[in-house]
Amino acid sequence: MERLLLVQLLMVGSTLAQVEACPFHCVCQNLSESLSTLCANKGLLFIPPNIDRRTVELRLADNFIRVVEPPDFLNMSGLVDLTLSRNTIDTIRPFAFGDLESLRSLHLDGNRLTEIGEEALRGMLNLQHLILNNNQLVDISVVAFDDFLLTLEDLDLSYNNLQTVPWEGIQGMVFLHTLNLDHNLINFVMEGTFAELYKLSRLDMTSNRLYTLPPDPLFARSQVGVISPTPYTSTIVLSFGGNPLHCNCELLWLRRLAREDDMETCASPPQVAGRYFWSVPEEEFTCEPPLITRHTHKLWILEGQRATLRCRAIGDPEPVIHWVSPDDKIISNSSRTVSFRNGTLDILVTTIRDDGAYTCIAINAAGESTAVVDLKIIPLPHRGNGSITVLQQDPGSSDIATSAKTSANATEGGSERRVDVSDVTATSALVRWAADKSAYAAWMYQIQYNSTVDEALIYRIIPASGRHFVLKHLVPSVDYDLCVLAIFDDMATSLAATHLLGCAQFTTGEAYPDCHALHAHFLGGTLTVIVGGIIVVTLLVFTVVMMVKYKVCSSAHGSLPKVTNVYSQTNGGHPNGLLPQRTPPKERGPKHRRVRVKAARSEGPEHRTGDGTGGAAWRSPVPTKTKRSSSLDMGDISANACYSYAKRLSFMWNKRSQSVHGMLVQCAAAPEGDAKRLGPYLNADELEESVV
């Protein structure tokens, strides 16, 4: 009885402990000795830290979990089923599932994953179902599935942004039953991927970007009624609809498959575009053999330089181009040769062994085509075994500047300069060198030079009889480094050897003539503009002067000059009030103005005297020259050349003076009393002096 009571107490304690260990808002169930923790749709922002480590089933779907880290599932080695669907997970830390060695099913669908790293899924050694659909995956590591390749049965990668998948990893999933890759951006399938997947029963690749599909023996099992030679499932469900398939002879195998779900359509060529496979006859699934349209015919290259051979071909499907060396070997990529998919072959550093005929072979499913490219290598001297200082064996990668400096330093202490550069212009230079004094006679000379703006070496081969050479097509205002080598036959090695004669540096001149011609062109245009401007301004000034002159003359003719009061200055200095005043004419415009010229008055005392005739006169104590006053308002006429009008005015004034003179004479003959009233003049002489 006591033992039974003790057992009941232990069971109640364990139940209470389990209830206490259940996370907040979660439901924990202990059914048939397996603990299930249900935390779906609880608004969780992270995985609860107090989950019972003995949990077998853990459901965390429909929450807001963002990151999965290693402490979240630490020591949960008994977990079998883990559901993290429809969260906001965008990051899985390395070894986040490292302790889940018993996990069979992992659901990560409906999250925001963009990539699966190499160590994100490490530790799940018995995983059978991996669901990763409805994410944003663009990249999956090639080794991401390595821990469960031999146990995985179901892989769902649909509805992502994958352009490629780890085909090498999928190729090793020998127990895979279902592979869903639909609704992605996959554009090719690696050939032989499904050759060993004998248990594969469904392959869904609808709505991708597949242009073609490589044939595979496994696809033959999709035939209706076929007898499988293996004890596995006899048929396989294939789905390739929604792809832009190119219906040529490469897809004839798919056209011949008798399947229940035959929904593939053709996207090209144009004559079958938009039609279902089953509606296109087999004879229309044709290919075109390759045709080489362009290729390099013959190429001469200096030894050590880079050689580029080109070959272009067309066909349906697109041909694959291979290159065959002169010794009948297919050229593969190496440190010295690179073959590109577009048919270009690059030999980075040529040797004398590369000389010969290269064959370009274009191959596709309909046949092949060939073309021959002749490569000629111009031999260059090789490095000798003696103590003579020579340039590097690879002229293409040598540094002429360094060689020039070394040579210059070596010949500084010498008595003669072996290489001389003279007559340097903007585009040319004359190179002279002395004869080689080595033991062996030179059978040719070689000039190597480059500039500061272009490090590529330029070579010139000169006959043995030559001692000078004119370099042309140089760049103006650039520093050049130049070396001259003597090439001779090495009797010991039967190879061509070289001897460095010397190096020099020079700078090309500036291209002044071109610049002066250009300046003269611009200067001529400028002078033309300036002279034309001066002529135009002169014409404008002349026009304005003529207009002003015309207006002044017109105003002068328009109004007569004004006659003002006339004052006479005599010895007495009194004004003559006998002259009749003339009413001035009416002014005709705002520019006419009246100018009154007043007679200057004498500054000394004036005395009145008389004579025997009874007339009175004003006389000064000291006789002075009579000053005359101007009685006409001429305005600006005197400054202008209006002579005709001035002459007419002079005639009018003389006539008026004569009339006044006559009047004054009569006044002089009047009686004494009247003379005193009319004026002070005594005789005609004084009158003549006073009249203007």
Side-chain angles (χ1 to χ4, degrees):
M1 186 66 181
E2 293 178 357
R3 182 177 298 177
L4 180 60
L5 182 60
L6 181 60
V7 171
Q8 291 177 354
L9 290 175
L10 291 175
M11 292 179 62
V12 171
S14 62
T15 303
L16 292 175
Q18 292 175 4
V19 172
E20 290 178 359
C22 189
F24 184 68
H25 289 315
C26 295
V27 178
C28 298
Q29 297 178 355
N30 190 359
L31 303 175
S32 64
E33 299 182 358
S34 62
L35 180 61
S36 298
T37 302
L38 309 178
C39 301
N41 198 13
K42 299 299 181 182
L44 300 176
L45 300 177
F46 51 86
I47 298 174
N50 55 344
I51 298 177
D52 195 326
R53 303 292 106 174
R54 297 172 299 168
T55 300
V56 176
E57 180 183 5
L58 179 59
R59 298 183 181 180
L60 296 168
D62 300 300
N63 284 288
F64 302 97
I65 301 171
R66 192 180 66 85
V67 180
V68 181
E69 298 180 332
D72 295 335
F73 306 107
L74 191 63
N75 296 326
M76 298 184 68
S77 58
L79 188 62
V80 175
D81 188 2
L82 176 59
T83 303
L84 292 168
S85 304
R86 297 176 297 280
N87 277 275
T88 59
I89 300 173
D90 58 4
T91 304
I92 299 178
R93 304 292 186 195
F95 297 97
F97 308 107
D99 286 350
L100 305 184
E101 57 184 19
S102 300
L103 193 66
R104 298 291 190 273
S105 177
L106 176 60
H107 293 259
L108 284 168
D109 53 294
N111 283 282
R112 300 178 182 177
L113 293 172
T114 58
E115 62 178 353
I116 303 295
E118 297 181 2
E119 300 174 344
L121 303 178
R122 293 290 187 185
M124 297 181 290
L125 303 179
N126 294 286
L127 189 64
Q128 297 177 355
H129 305 277
L130 178 59
I131 311 300
L132 290 168
N133 62 298
N134 284 289
N135 277 275
Q136 302 171 12
L137 292 173
V138 296
D139 181 56
I140 300 177
S141 175
V142 178
V143 297
F145 303 147
D146 284 359
D147 281 4
F148 44 84
L149 288 179
L150 300 179
T151 60
L152 196 65
E153 299 177 359
D154 185 10
L155 178 60
D156 191 351
L157 296 172
S158 59
Y159 291 93
N160 282 287
N161 299 321
L162 295 170
Q163 294 185 0
T164 183
V165 294
W167 296 114
E168 294 84 355
I170 294 176
Q171 190 177 17
M173 299 177 182
V174 294
F175 291 98
L176 193 64
H177 291 272
T178 304
L179 178 59
N180 294 323
L181 299 173
D182 56 290
H183 294 88
N184 277 282
L185 306 174
I186 302 172
N187 51 24
F188 83 100
V189 177
M190 189 181 72
E191 187 173 357
T193 300
F194 313 107
E196 303 295 331
L197 304 184
Y198 296 110
K199 290 189 175 183
L200 187 64
S201 60
R202 178 177 179 80
L203 174 62
D204 189 355
M205 296 195 70
T206 58
S207 299
N208 278 279
R209 295 183 178 180
L210 293 174
Y211 181 77
T212 186
L213 285 169
D216 196 289
L218 183 65
F219 295 152
R221 293 195 288 109
S222 63
Q223 297 272 32
V224 178
V226 70
I227 299 177
S228 176
T230 63
Y232 304 112
T233 177
S234 58
T235 59
I236 178 175
V237 178
L238 299 177
S239 298
F240 297 108
N243 286 279
L245 296 174
H246 182 65
C247 296
N248 59 2
C249 61
E250 288 186 314
L251 289 182
L252 189 58
W253 66 269
L254 186 61
R255 168 65 180 81
R256 293 174 177 174
L257 292 181
R259 296 176 294 127
E260 296 178 355
D261 187 15
D262 188 4
M263 300 300 294
E264 289 77 22
T265 58
C266 297
S268 58
Q271 61 269 19
V272 296
R275 297 166 60 183
Y276 286 101
F277 266 41
W278 54 266
S279 66
V280 180
E282 289 188 8
E283 55 268 18
E284 295 189 26
F285 284 79
T286 59
C287 290
E288 296 180 3
L291 174 64
I292 296 177
T293 58
R294 292 181 301 164
H295 67 91
T296 305
H297 293 277
K298 194 169 186 178
L299 184 64
W300 292 81
I301 294 293
L302 286 170
E303 183 182 2
Q305 294 291 298
R306 179 173 181 166
T308 300
L309 310 182
R310 292 181 173 85
C311 183
R312 300 291 184 269
I314 59 174
D316 186 16
E318 183 180 358
V320 178
I321 296 179
H322 300 282
W323 287 91
V324 178
S325 64
D327 53 354
D328 294 332
K329 294 181 180 179
I330 296 179
I331 300 176
S332 58
N333 291 341
S334 64
S335 59
R336 200 172 64 89
T337 59
V338 180
S339 180
F340 298 93
R341 292 178 57 89
N342 62 358
T344 300
L345 174 64
D346 276 351
I347 304 176
L348 303 180
V349 181
T350 57
T351 63
I352 194 63
R353 296 189 301 271
D354 296 326
D355 187 274
Y358 289 77
T359 305
C360 166
I361 303 177
I363 304 174
N364 68 0
E368 66 180 38
S369 179
T370 61
V372 177
V373 178
D374 193 9
L375 177 62
K376 295 296 184 182
I377 305 298
I378 301 175
L380 290 178
H382 296 276
R383 184 187 300 273
N385 296 326
S387 59
I388 302 177
T389 304
V390 295
L391 293 178
Q392 298 179 3
Q393 181 178 359
D394 176 17
S397 60
S398 63
D399 189 357
I400 189 69
T402 304
S403 300
K405 292 178 182 178
T406 304
S407 175
N409 295 334
T411 57
E412 267 184 5
S415 59
E416 61 176 345
R417 185 181 180 89
R418 304 295 299 277
V419 177
D420 180 63
V421 180
S422 61
D423 299 340
V424 180
T425 65
T427 59
S428 63
L430 176 61
V431 182
R432 299 178 182 274
W433 62 90
D436 187 19
K437 297 181 180 180
S438 60
Y440 303 98
W443 50 278
M444 70 173 58
Y445 293 98
Q446 182 188 61
I447 300 177
Q448 300 181 2
Y449 65 95
N450 66 358
S451 65
T452 55
V453 297
D454 188 1
E455 296 183 356
L457 282 177
I458 302 176
Y459 299 88
R460 295 289 184 266
I461 302 298
I462 313 299
S465 59
R467 294 295 183 271
H468 60 85
F469 186 78
V470 178
L471 302 178
K472 297 181 179 180
H473 306 293
L474 302 179
V475 181
S477 303
V478 171
D479 296 333
Y480 278 88
D481 297 319
L482 178 143
C483 290
V484 179
L485 297 89
I487 304 175
F488 58 92
D489 189 7
D490 188 1
M491 299 300 181
T493 60
S494 299
L495 296 175
T498 60
H499 173 64
L500 181 63
L501 296 181
C503 297
Q505 295 180 343
F506 64 95
T507 302
T508 54
E510 298 182 0
Y512 284 115
D514 296 339
C515 297
H516 287 174
L518 188 62
H519 292 167
H521 175 73
F522 287 140
L523 186 59
T526 305
L527 289 177
T528 302
V529 173
I530 293 174
V531 173
I534 293 174
I535 294 174
V536 172
V537 171
T538 305
L539 292 176
L540 290 176
V541 172
F542 179 75
T543 304
V544 171
V545 170
M546 295 299 296
M547 292 177 62
V548 171
K549 186 174 181 179
Y550 173 77
K551 286 185 177 290
V552 171
C553 292
S554 299
S555 63
H557 286 282
S559 66
L560 294 174
K562 308 172 185 61
V563 179
T564 61
N565 297 332
V566 179
Y567 297 90
S568 298
Q569 182 177 344
T570 61
N571 295 334
H574 292 280
N576 184 11
L578 297 179
L579 292 177
Q581 296 192 10
R582 183 179 178 181
T583 304
K586 186 178 180 180
E587 296 183 3
R588 296 182 181 180
K591 292 185 179 180
H592 296 276
R593 55 182 179 171
R594 300 175 63 185
V595 180
R596 295 182 181 271
V597 182
K598 295 182 180 181
R601 300 183 179 180
S602 66
E603 300 176 358
E606 299 176 353
H607 304 276
R608 186 177 180 181
T609 60
D611 55 7
T613 61
W618 296 93
R619 297 182 182 276
S620 175
V622 180
T624 58
K625 188 176 181 180
T626 304
K627 297 182 179 180
R628 298 180 181 180
S629 60
S630 176
S631 60
L632 288 179
D633 183 8
M634 298 298 292
D636 295 332
I637 296 178
S638 60
N640 297 324
C642 303
Y643 302 106
S644 62
Y645 186 65
K647 183 176 181 181
R648 186 173 61 179
L649 289 178
S650 176
F651 175 77
M652 292 173 60
W653 176 242
N654 291 335
K655 187 175 182 180
R656 178 178 176 85
S657 299
Q658 292 174 5
S659 63
V660 173
H661 183 271
M663 184 187 298
L664 294 178
V665 170
Q666 293 177 6
C667 291
E672 182 179 356
D674 295 337
K676 291 180 181 180
R677 180 174 54 86
L678 293 176
Y681 295 101
L682 299 179
N683 52 43
D685 296 334
E686 293 184 6
L687 179 63
E688 288 286 337
E689 183 70 21
S690 63
V691 175
V692 178

